[in-house]
Amino acid sequence: MKRATVNGALAVGFFALAIGVLFARANPATAYEASVYAATPGGVWVAFALALSLAVATTLGCRGRFQTLGMALGALTVTSIVSLPVLRNYRFSGMGDALTHLGWTRDIVGGELLPHELIYPGVHSLGIALHFLGGIPLERALLVTVVVLFLPFLIFVPLIVRDVTGTPAAVGFAAIVSWMVLPVNNVATHMGIHSNSNALFLVPVVVFAFVAYLGRRSTIERLPFGLSPFSVLIYLTAIVLLVVHPQQMINVVVLAGAIAGVQLLAHRRLDDHPVLEQPTMYAQTVVLGSMFTVWTMANERFRTAFVNMIEGVFIEDVGAGAEVDQRGASLAEIGGSLAELFVVMFLDAAIIGIVAGLFVLAVWLGRTSLDREAASFVTYFGIGLIPLGVIFLVYFVGTPTMAFRQVGFIYVLLTILAGIALAHLFGGLSGVITRPGATTVAAVFVGALLVLGLATVYASPLIYSPGQHVTDQKFSGYESGFEHGVDDRPHAGLGYDPYRYDHGLHGLEGEETLSGATVATGEVDPEAFEAGNYSGAYHGIDYYLVVTEYDVTREVDVYQELHYSEESLAGLQGEPTADKVISNDEFEMYAIASDE
């Protein structure tokens, strides 16, 4: 490809990206959006698609400076897609854990909670720093935090592959696979304010420190106590990961232990191998494990979660099998299927996982051209997947949500391996057809997977999960409802417990919260509600019923009235026991009198 052509393509790509960002910024959200994809103007997606197409082409077809610029273009475009809630001026995003994290952040700012009292204060602390330094609201600061913590994933995945293989093709493929954002599965890992998911994007930084340590054999520049700069790098990056979320830290400890185990076996069984020349990971494994143990065992929240997970393993009908059956039945009732949902959500991940797995097997069988040094790193990651997979199985039986969090970590490693695997796959194809032909096939292949990956970065009706956009009206409605409601009257929602909004608005520590006032919250009974028994739909007592635009979209449009129908919602208007006390475009609250 001619230099002038490449320069022109990159110029067009960066210009398209800039236009897309400006167009998104010029069209902010004005109401609740069930899908950030559908609500974002089509011109933005045309611009982003053009930028990504040119990024893929230059990343695969060029080398040197032009390849680096192509990877930068792709990374910036994907970051822009991840930044859409910020670019389009969302007040907040996330109605579950995200609101609780917002509440903890408010508690820290208000002095009611110290950062170290949380087991994972990293996200909250960074959000507070952005809040004070940038002079922006806490809600927006946390949205920006999501983007800041995402960036290391796009940067360090190709850096790891460069250090492992040194081949530009593998680096390019690794960059493109990282753009697919495979660790996000929208089951238990999400692109939002979710510290466990946010920690996943920092894992490549620690893995890069591992690779840097193992690949440098020089003993110069030793620090006190026999430490090397690369050992210090491992410890510092691990500490950052630990304070963002310990669950991903224990996975890193397992990976370090697997590497140490391979080294121990190699030193006992082999006489000549690159592993024998690499510094050992024994001390690092012990230190990282000690960090995790000291930090977590002192925290009651972690101990409780660990006990619940162990109990879940032994309780009948608790596990992923029962949950999958239940969700499969619900999907069938609204005309969907698990097979359809799997294709949309996991086809790209499944293909990448198969490619990476077969490549690891080929390396172990000696069927690749990978040199022995690079093959040792593939072995480290491949062996590391075995205990990580065992942990997944334990979670799968006991706590399904944790199982899919584990899948998120596994896909960090598979993303790295896939970059090397795809380079070998299409490198071999270039021996069968021409190199330009192989590059074209590769671009179409990874481009299709890239579309699938980016289409599910955020929740949307496409995966039967409407977006969790929180508008000003919704916050205002909940704030008024909590402030002016009768103290001892509970708040109930349609399939959603309102207590999370109490967390987001008031924090978790203050006495003015619902928790502090011991006021109950919950969900109305769908059977009673559908029967028109609004008074008896919540334990037969007086209560406040909250109905938001999100609830209506989820229950009527997405779930197709599976639990609550449009007719039953409309029946509230003429119900003598239901008094509408708060109403705006996004929020309605009814005071429901019991029939007693």
Side-chain angles (χ1 to χ4, degrees):
M1 195 179 294
K2 295 181 180 180
R3 181 184 296 268
T5 303
V6 177
N7 279 329
L10 288 170
V12 170
F14 279 105
F15 181 74
L17 171 60
I19 292 297
V21 170
L22 291 174
F23 197 20
R25 183 65 181 165
N27 290 272
T30 57
Y32 167 70
E33 296 180 349
S35 170
V36 69
Y37 300 104
T40 299
V44 175
W45 294 116
V46 171
F48 285 169
L50 177 59
L52 274 177
S53 299
L54 294 172
V56 170
T58 51
T59 297
L60 295 181
C62 300
R63 298 293 180 262
R65 180 172 66 91
F66 291 123
Q67 184 188 45
T68 302
L69 289 172
M71 291 190 294
L73 174 60
L76 287 172
T77 305
V78 172
T79 302
S80 299
I81 293 172
V82 168
S83 303
L84 281 174
V86 177
L87 293 175
R88 301 197 56 248
N89 203 32
Y90 276 26
R91 168 71 182 272
F92 195 66
S93 182
M95 300 181 188
D97 288 350
L99 286 169
T100 298
H101 289 304
L102 173 60
W104 276 323
T105 307
R106 291 196 193 282
D107 289 334
I108 294 172
V109 171
E112 296 176 326
L113 181 70
L114 296 175
H116 71 269
E117 293 176 329
L118 278 176
I119 193 170
Y120 34 60
V123 171
H124 317 81
S125 300
L126 179 56
I128 290 169
L130 293 172
H131 164 66
F132 284 116
L133 292 175
I136 56 179
L138 280 178
E139 297 95 331
R140 188 167 185 82
L142 287 175
L143 292 179
V144 175
T145 297
V146 172
V147 180
V148 172
L149 293 178
F150 174 69
L151 283 172
F153 183 75
L154 302 180
I155 296 170
F156 282 91
V157 166
L159 285 178
I160 291 167
V161 173
R162 186 196 65 176
D163 262 20
V164 169
T165 67
T167 60
V171 174
F173 277 109
I176 294 171
V177 177
S178 74
W179 304 343
M180 300 175 192
V181 201
L182 297 177
V184 168
N185 54 50
N186 279 305
V187 177
T189 58
H190 310 276
M191 184 57 70
I193 303 144
H194 186 244
S195 56
N196 192 292
S197 303
N198 304 139
L200 286 171
F201 301 123
L202 296 178
V203 170
V205 183
V206 186
V207 175
F208 176 78
F210 285 0
V211 172
Y213 169 77
L214 293 167
R216 270 68 171 185
R217 295 172 174 76
S218 174
T219 57
I220 63 173
E221 299 182 5
R222 283 284 177 181
L223 299 175
F225 308 107
L227 292 173
S228 73
F230 301 109
S231 291
V232 173
L233 181 63
I234 289 174
Y235 301 143
L236 291 178
T237 55
I239 289 171
V240 173
L241 179 64
L242 179 64
V243 299
V244 174
H245 205 287
Q247 184 178 352
Q248 304 308 340
M249 175 62 172
I250 189 58
N251 287 327
V252 165
V253 175
V254 170
L255 177 61
I259 294 172
V262 172
Q263 291 177 325
L264 179 62
L265 188 62
H267 279 279
R268 290 185 175 181
R269 298 292 182 89
L270 302 176
D271 296 322
D272 178 30
H273 195 278
V275 171
L276 303 179
E277 301 175 14
Q278 295 171 355
T280 62
M281 288 282 292
Y282 308 148
Q284 286 74 17
T285 302
V286 172
V287 173
L288 295 180
S290 300
M291 285 181 183
F292 171 81
T293 303
V294 170
W295 181 257
T296 57
M297 286 299 115
N299 187 279
E300 183 179 356
R301 180 183 177 88
F302 175 83
R303 295 196 303 270
T304 301
F306 181 77
V307 170
N308 290 339
M309 188 272 292
I310 295 299
E311 289 178 349
V313 174
F314 298 101
I315 295 176
E316 185 178 2
D317 291 334
V318 175
E323 187 165 321
V324 168
D325 291 342
Q326 180 182 0
R327 296 198 176 188
S330 297
L331 280 171
E333 288 189 50
I334 60 176
S337 70
L338 283 176
E340 170 199 342
L341 194 61
F342 175 85
V343 169
V344 174
M345 294 180 66
F346 300 116
L347 180 61
D348 55 332
I351 292 173
I352 290 297
I354 291 170
V355 169
L358 291 176
F359 175 70
V360 172
L361 182 60
V363 170
W364 289 349
L365 295 175
R367 299 297 182 89
T368 70
S369 59
L370 204 64
D371 64 72
R372 298 178 77 195
E373 176 79 10
S376 67
F377 286 98
V378 172
T379 297
Y380 289 148
F381 297 146
I383 293 296
L385 289 172
I386 296 174
L388 291 169
V390 171
I391 296 173
F392 162 77
L393 292 175
V394 172
Y395 285 150
F396 191 82
V397 174
T399 51
T401 299
M402 292 294 185
F404 281 95
R405 289 184 179 183
Q406 189 71 7
V407 169
F409 184 92
I410 288 172
Y411 264 94
V412 174
L413 297 185
L414 290 177
T415 296
I416 297 166
L417 289 170
I420 308 172
L422 290 171
H424 278 71
L425 175 63
F426 289 104
L429 182 62
S430 66
V432 178
I433 60 177
T434 62
R435 180 178 172 183
T439 301
T440 301
V441 173
V444 172
F445 177 77
V446 297
L449 295 182
L450 186 56
V451 171
L452 283 174
L454 292 176
T456 54
V457 166
Y458 281 107
S460 72
L462 178 67
I463 58 174
Y464 300 97
S465 179
Q468 297 191 355
H469 174 204
V470 183
T471 62
D472 287 327
Q473 295 97 322
K474 194 175 296 183
F475 262 135
S476 174
Y478 273 109
E479 189 170 25
S480 297
F482 293 146
E483 181 179 353
H484 300 296
V486 176
D487 289 342
D488 60 351
R489 180 176 288 189
H491 294 72
L494 296 176
Y496 182 83
D497 192 327
Y499 80 95
R500 294 283 196 174
Y501 278 93
D502 176 53
H503 288 179
L505 289 166
H506 304 132
L508 284 77
E509 304 297 320
E511 294 183 359
E512 73 277 11
T513 67
L514 294 183
S515 302
T518 65
V519 175
T521 62
E523 304 172 12
V524 297
D525 176 34
E527 292 186 8
F529 194 86
E530 282 300 291
N533 183 14
Y534 305 109
S535 298
Y538 190 78
H539 306 297
I541 61 175
D542 294 351
Y543 68 99
Y544 291 112
L545 173 64
V546 173
V547 180
T548 69
E549 187 65 23
Y550 168 78
D551 298 325
V552 175
T553 300
R554 183 191 66 236
E555 298 298 335
V556 177
D557 298 336
V558 178
Y559 293 170
Q560 299 179 30
E561 303 181 329
L562 178 63
H563 304 297
Y564 305 94
S565 67
E566 191 170 12
E567 182 181 356
S568 64
L569 289 170
L572 284 167
Q573 305 299 327
E575 171 62 32
T577 62
D579 182 19
K580 185 187 292 185
V581 292
I582 296 176
S583 179
N584 62 39
D585 292 339
E586 303 280 339
F587 181 97
E588 292 179 344
M589 190 171 85
Y590 297 84
I592 308 291
S594 69
D595 52 7
E596 295 182 359

